[in-house]
């Protein structure tokens, strides 16, 4: 069964283009032209993710998100906005948004993010997984221990949490914002640079296994590629 998306966008042209693009990529999309109609659709149908424009008539995206979270607090939400104001971004995340994308945006990147968020939401039990076996490595996140062949590495707490997130999302997109919010508890320039340092450390260690690679995805996140 195809994943179901509620797309709420008052720009008719953009809404139709996005709906057609996502439908071609095997999603079932319901398009609503404003916040009130979006809430009506949400209460009448089942969805796997909501994509909400922020600035809309009748009911804005933030108000709609609050109503959605009252009905289903675990519903994944992506905000779309023509504004990139820090206050708006913070408010979006405070409301429980999974991502916040400024217009204009790369539709392929949006596709990556939708798939990753739905995958994460449908596999929440994976977050309890503590041991991982991939390619030639063995990773125990409880002991913070990574074994590659006959070598054993003791990871720092942040290296450990970051590698665990990458393992949970192996072969899928992991958004930078997700890691920053879960591990650093905040998302800003300094925490982002700090995460890049830890990514570089993990890359250096994992180079010893040619079957694994951490790759960048459009500068928006990472992907732990398991080659064998």
């Amino acid at each position: 069964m195809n994943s179901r998306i509620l797309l709420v966008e008052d720009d008719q042209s953009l809404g139709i283009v996005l709906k057609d693009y996502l439908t071609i990529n095997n999603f079932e999309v319901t398009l609503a032209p404003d916040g009130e109609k979006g809430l009506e659709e949400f209460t009448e149908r089942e969805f796997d993710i909501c994509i909400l424009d922020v600035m809309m008539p009748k009911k804005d995206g933030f108000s709609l998100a609050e109503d959605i979270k009252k009905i289903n607090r675990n519903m994944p939400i992506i905000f779309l906005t023509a504004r990139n104001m820090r206050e708006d971004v913070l408010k979006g995340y405070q409301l429980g948004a999974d991502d916040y994308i400024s217009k204009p945006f790369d539709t392929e990147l949006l596709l990556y993010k939708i798939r990753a968020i739905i995958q994460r939401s449908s596999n929440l039990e994976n977050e309890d997984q503590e041991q991982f076996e991939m390619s030639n490595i063995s990773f125990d996140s409880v002991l913070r221990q990574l074994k590659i062949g006959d070598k054993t590495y003791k990871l720092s707490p942040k290296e450990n949490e970051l590698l665990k997130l990458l393992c949970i999302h192996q072969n899928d997109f992991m958004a930078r914002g997700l890691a920053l919010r879960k591990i650093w508890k905040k998302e800003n320039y300094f925490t982002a640079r700090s995460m890049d340092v830890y990514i570089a450390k993990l890359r250096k260690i994992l180079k010893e296994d040619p079957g694994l690679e951490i790759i960048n995805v459009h500068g928006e996140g990472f992907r732990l590629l398991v080659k064998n």
Side-chain angles (χ1 to χ4, degrees), residues 15-159:
I16 292 173
V17 169
L18 270 181
K19 179 179 180 179
D20 289 346
Y21 177 75
L22 294 172
T23 300
I24 289 171
N25 283 279
N26 301 316
F27 290 100
E28 181 182 324
V29 183
T30 298
L31 174 60
D34 58 64
E36 286 187 358
K37 183 62 176 176
L39 182 59
E40 181 182 326
E41 294 285 0
F42 185 81
T43 56
E44 293 179 356
R45 303 169 186 260
E46 295 289 331
F47 295 100
D48 298 294
I49 188 170
C50 297
I51 303 175
L52 313 178
D53 186 23
V54 171
M55 299 178 67
M56 294 187 294
K58 299 183 181 180
K59 183 185 289 285
D60 64 53
F62 292 145
S63 298
L64 176 56
E66 288 182 301
D67 291 336
I68 287 174
K69 288 293 186 179
K70 288 176 184 176
I71 298 170
N72 182 352
R73 65 185 181 87
N74 295 319
M75 176 57 57
I77 293 175
I78 295 177
F79 282 118
L80 302 179
T81 181
R83 306 196 310 176
N84 194 22
M85 296 177 61
R86 181 175 181 272
E87 293 78 9
D88 283 356
V89 175
L90 291 175
K91 183 173 182 179
Y93 286 130
Q94 287 167 357
L95 289 172
D98 292 81
D99 219 317
Y100 194 103
I101 301 177
S102 298
K103 301 174 184 176
F105 52 85
D106 183 333
T107 52
E108 185 181 5
L109 174 60
L110 175 63
L111 189 63
Y112 265 111
K113 291 188 173 188
I114 292 170
R115 287 173 173 166
I117 291 170
I118 290 176
Q119 178 71 19
R120 184 172 75 243
S121 299
S122 63
N123 291 284
L124 288 176
E125 67 274 8
N126 288 348
E127 294 193 5
D128 296 327
Q129 186 175 346
E130 305 291 355
Q131 282 82 34
F132 302 87
E133 301 284 340
M134 299 170 295
S135 189
N136 297 312
I137 78 164
S138 175
F139 171 45
D140 188 322
S141 64
V142 175
L143 300 177
R144 290 195 277 122
Q145 193 173 83
L146 174 64
K147 293 182 179 179
I148 305 178
D150 58 355
K151 291 185 178 180
T152 300
Y153 296 88
K154 183 71 171 182
L155 302 179
S156 71
K158 281 190 169 57
E159 287 171 342

